[in-house]
Amino acid sequence: AWGAAVTMMPGETPPPPAGTAAAACANCGVLQQNINEYVAALISLKQKMIDGDRLLTEYQQKCTDILYFSLVEILALRCQVEQMLQKILPLEKCQEELGSLKAELEEKKVCL
């Protein structure tokens, strides 16, 4: 039953007196409106969840792509480093030989 001290919201109409068919219909109308609002809120929430899942999937794919790209770049850089090391080692040997030859020439120069 509706009490006399029912707090009204601005713009809200008072309910019909309790016990009447009009009161039951008004209550059903309010209930139906509330159900419709809850269903709309649930649909909106479901759409937000779907959108969130889609964004998360896209983000994970971008992370995977970046990781793959980074690994490819790292492998390429490692290959370049290995190639440079292979070129440097013979040059270091040549430098040692030149140092030895220079020392020999200096000795011969002193002897002459």
Side-chain angles (χ1 to χ4, degrees):
W2 294 96
V6 173
T7 304
M8 302 294 294
M9 296 299 291
E12 191 175 24
T13 57
T20 65
C25 288
N27 289 339
C28 288
V30 170
L31 181 61
Q32 184 63 48
Q33 181 181 353
N34 288 341
I35 290 173
N36 291 343
E37 289 172 3
Y38 288 133
V39 168
L42 287 173
I43 290 171
S44 175
L45 181 60
K46 182 178 179 183
Q47 187 59 50
K48 288 178 182 179
M49 290 172 65
I50 290 169
D51 293 343
D53 285 346
R54 181 182 48 79
L55 289 173
L56 182 59
T57 301
E58 289 175 8
Y59 176 75
Q60 288 173 334
Q61 183 61 49
K62 286 180 182 180
C63 289
T64 301
D65 292 346
I66 290 170
L67 179 61
Y68 176 76
F69 177 76
S70 298
L71 290 174
V72 169
E73 287 295 311
I74 288 170
L75 289 175
L77 290 171
R78 282 185 180 169
C79 286
Q80 289 177 0
V81 167
E82 288 295 324
Q83 289 172 356
M84 291 186 75
L85 286 173
Q86 289 174 1
K87 290 178 182 178
I88 288 173
L89 289 176
L91 292 174
E92 287 177 343
K93 286 182 182 179
C94 287
Q95 189 175 13
E96 288 175 14
E97 290 175 11
L98 284 173
S100 296
L101 287 174
K102 185 177 178 183
E104 282 181 39
L105 287 173
E106 287 295 324
E107 284 179 22
K108 289 183 180 182
K109 182 179 174 184
V110 169
C111 289
L112 292 175

